Amino acid sequence: MREIKAADVSAAVARMCVSANTKLPDDVRRKFEEGLKNETTEAGKEIFRQLLENADLAFETKLPLCQDCGLAIFYVELGEDARVEGGVNAAITAGMVAGYKDGFLRKSSCDPMTRKNTGDNTPAIIHIDLVPGDRLKISYMAKGGGSENMSRVTMLAPSQGWEGIKKFVVQRVAEAGPNPCPPVILGIGIGGTFEYAPKIAKKALLRKLDDTHPDPKIAAMEAELLAEVNKLGIGPMGLGGSYTCLAVKIAMAPCHIASLPLAVNVQCHSARHEEVEF
Amino acid sequence: MAKYSLNTPLTDADIEKLRAGDVVLLSGIIYSGRDAAHKKLTDLLDAGKPLPFDLKGASIYYVGPSPAPPGRPIGAAGPTTSYRMDAYAPRLISLGLKASIGKGKRNDEVKKAMRDHKAVYFGATGGAGALLSKCITASKIIAFDELGPEAVREMTVKDFPLLVINDAFGGELYAKPNLPE
């Protein structure tokens, strides 16, 4: 059994929270640069120009890219032959709390009924998968409330199939309009169950924007959905244009013979995530 | 589309010249307020108590800034999504609020209140919180400190860059999605 020091995990998580909130990922920046060049509307181009300036300023000043530093989401792959002293949950939580405090990140977690802020952004939302081996991989995502509010889960009938999926996704983005800070990124979970579809939909948002799904059939589905959504013309911040969505990432899982679960996790353009491996 | 530099408090004359799509550089005092603060402002009105700031001519910015690091007046401070304040906005507009600042769509009640009482809705660029913070030169909490990021702040802004999304005449800037019927 490999022992991983809790302090090392906490320190890496704290660093990751600060870094992800202040440095725009390179793949997202490349999409902004592409948008600045190719967007069809002047208003849309102006938004990309501002977002690139914002990214430069955040990197220089260490101010967060966005004041909504999100709930802290972690996808963890923990080897069955590895352990973190004191527990991996506690180590990640301690690191998240330290990162949000020391990095002057906003704490956005509150009681659902009293609306009282928990004060330290706890609880971290932690999904742990046990995997073979003795590695530990922690992926962190800062997930803002504005885009999360525009996300939906639905249980389609199997007869609705691909056409039903496309219709639901396009409708969702149309109804969301300017609200989730377009251009958005869509994490789509197809299959699984009522709770599993959104879990894999969100995890799909950890992929690079410019990667290609290894399964050519799914890659083609992603391309088709991206094209359909971008026909909406919503554009950057809803001001009109061809860049409503930067990328569609699909995750699929087998489902019950009675069901076709579908989750659409909407991510804003400020797609902040990083990962660390031990 | 025109470009204006305006100072707060805003007047009816300021509002009447604005049309959807106009660019406004706003300077002066604005107040931050989002979900929980709006609930508390409404509770104060229900109880017949004074609000922490004068609504007449006021501009409310839907923002929950990140904490100010040492040496800065405020942290990142971009807009939050406005529809969540739709439940409260018409009443505030009827009492003199001239502008709200946020991102995303407003409902028909808010648009009607803006027409009836001469008010506008400004959009600021979402996800540009670091950039927008440069235009905020001072900030202090004036109410509901316990709400943390949701506390009401009096902010001094200089040439804060805004777009008129909804004007006082029914005009709207947002693109309608091209949906097949």
Side-chain angles (χ1 to χ4, degrees):
Chain A
M1 182 67 74
R2 178 179 169 222
E3 290 273 349
I4 301 170
K5 281 191 182 145
D8 291 347
V9 171
S10 297
V13 166
R15 271 198 305 275
M16 203 161 48
C17 291
V18 176
S19 167
N21 273 288
T22 52
K23 183 182 181 303
L24 191 73
D26 291 339
D27 55 332
V28 182
R29 170 177 277 276
R30 283 195 294 275
K31 288 284 180 192
F32 287 0
E33 286 165 351
E34 183 196 306
L36 179 61
K37 212 168 97 200
N38 298 336
E39 179 52 278
T40 51
T41 62
E42 282 309 310
K45 277 183 197 268
E46 170 60 19
I47 296 296
F48 282 119
R49 194 194 62 72
Q50 290 178 19
L51 295 181
L52 285 163
E53 193 183 342
N54 184 65
D56 291 342
L57 189 69
F59 186 70
E60 282 161 26
T61 59
K62 301 302 164 205
L63 281 174
L65 289 152
C66 178
Q67 72 291 337
D68 186 350
C69 305
L71 290 192
I73 317 292
F74 294 92
Y75 280 86
V76 179
E77 291 174 14
L78 177 62
E80 284 165 334
D81 300 320
R83 69 182 294 276
V84 177
E85 53 175 333
V88 68
N89 277 308
I92 289 173
T93 298
M96 185 278 287
V97 168
Y100 272 69
K101 178 169 180 288
D102 299 340
F104 297 93
L105 306 180
R106 197 182 81 185
K107 292 77 176 171
S108 305
S109 178
C110 73
D111 180 285
M113 297 314 298
T114 66
R115 311 305 297 180
K116 185 176 162 48
N117 199 298
T118 65
D120 56 7
N121 219 43
T122 57
I125 310 288
I126 305 175
H127 305 284
I128 299 181
D129 281 330
L130 282 176
V131 297
D134 64 359
R135 311 284 298 168
L136 169 65
K137 179 176 162 185
I138 303 173
S139 302
Y140 158 72
M141 180 192 301
K143 190 63 173 74
S147 59
E148 196 75 347
N149 281 342
M150 295 299 111
S151 304
R152 293 290 185 274
V153 185
T154 188
M155 305 299 280
L156 297 178
S159 64
Q160 290 176 272
W162 177 232
E163 288 307 314
I165 290 169
K166 276 195 295 186
K167 191 174 172 197
F168 186 85
V169 172
V170 171
Q171 279 281 355
R172 179 80 303 265
V173 177
E175 279 167 32
N179 291 1
C181 283
V184 296
I185 299 151
L186 298 175
I188 311 283
I190 302 173
T193 49
F194 180 72
E195 86 288 2
Y196 196 66
K199 183 177 163 176
I200 59 175
K202 178 163 272 136
K203 192 174 183 185
L205 291 171
L206 295 171
R207 283 170 49 196
K208 294 276 182 213
L209 296 188
D210 47 9
D211 74 355
T212 305
H213 198 286
D215 181 333
K217 282 202 292 281
I218 298 178
M221 291 161 73
E222 291 176 346
E224 189 178 342
L225 264 181
L226 179 64
E228 290 291 320
V229 165
N230 278 331
K231 281 184 199 161
L232 288 170
I234 293 167
M237 294 312 296
L239 300 176
S242 57
Y243 281 79
T244 300
C245 180
L246 298 177
V248 175
K249 302 295 168 187
I250 294 178
M252 291 215 283
C255 56
H256 193 283
I257 52 174
S259 305
L260 178 53
L262 172 63
V264 183
N265 200 179
V266 181
Q267 168 67 308
C268 62
H269 58 69
S270 197
R272 295 151 291 170
H273 58 90
E274 283 192 16
E275 60 186 46
V276 63
E277 277 196 65
F278 294 88
Chain B
M1 285 165 212
K3 187 167 176 174
Y4 299 100
S5 290
L6 296 179
N7 291 296
T8 63
L10 296 173
T11 63
D12 282 356
D14 292 328
I15 300 302
E16 280 166 3
K17 65 183 172 193
L18 297 177
R19 296 291 182 278
D22 287 348
V23 173
V24 170
L25 300 176
L26 190 66
S27 299
I29 300 284
I30 62 174
Y31 301 95
S32 76
R34 44 173 294 159
D35 307 67
H38 273 73
K39 171 82 170 73
K40 288 196 175 242
L41 291 174
T42 302
D43 289 347
L44 287 175
L45 289 174
D46 286 344
K49 291 183 179 160
L51 297 186
F53 59 92
D54 187 2
L55 272 179
K56 203 159 175 51
S59 301
I60 293 187
Y61 184 19
Y62 301 148
V63 60
S66 62
R72 286 187 172 273
I74 201 152
T80 193
T81 322
S82 305
Y83 73 89
R84 300 190 312 271
M85 274 55 77
D86 284 357
Y88 309 103
R91 187 173 183 185
L92 301 181
I93 291 168
S94 76
L95 294 172
L97 183 74
K98 283 289 157 206
S100 52
I101 303 168
K103 67 173 171 89
K105 293 176 283 190
R106 308 313 300 263
N107 71 14
D108 289 342
E109 286 75 24
V110 179
K111 291 177 197 172
K112 180 174 186 304
M114 290 194 286
R115 287 196 303 274
D116 290 349
H117 302 283
K118 294 197 174 80
V120 292
Y121 169 51
F122 290 124
T125 301
L131 187 61
L132 288 167
S133 77
K134 282 209 305 187
C135 303
I136 302 173
T137 57
S139 170
K140 66 174 178 194
I141 292 177
I142 57 166
F144 318 140
D145 195 19
E146 70 279 9
L147 294 180
E150 295 197 75
V152 171
R153 289 167 169 81
E154 183 186 283
M155 296 172 163
T156 308
V157 293
K158 174 81 179 135
D159 293 333
F160 198 66
L162 302 169
L163 274 173
V164 179
I165 302 293
N166 292 100
D167 61 34
F169 306 95
E172 171 155 353
L173 179 63
Y174 283 138
K176 288 229 181 328
N178 309 314
L179 267 180
E181 288 306 318

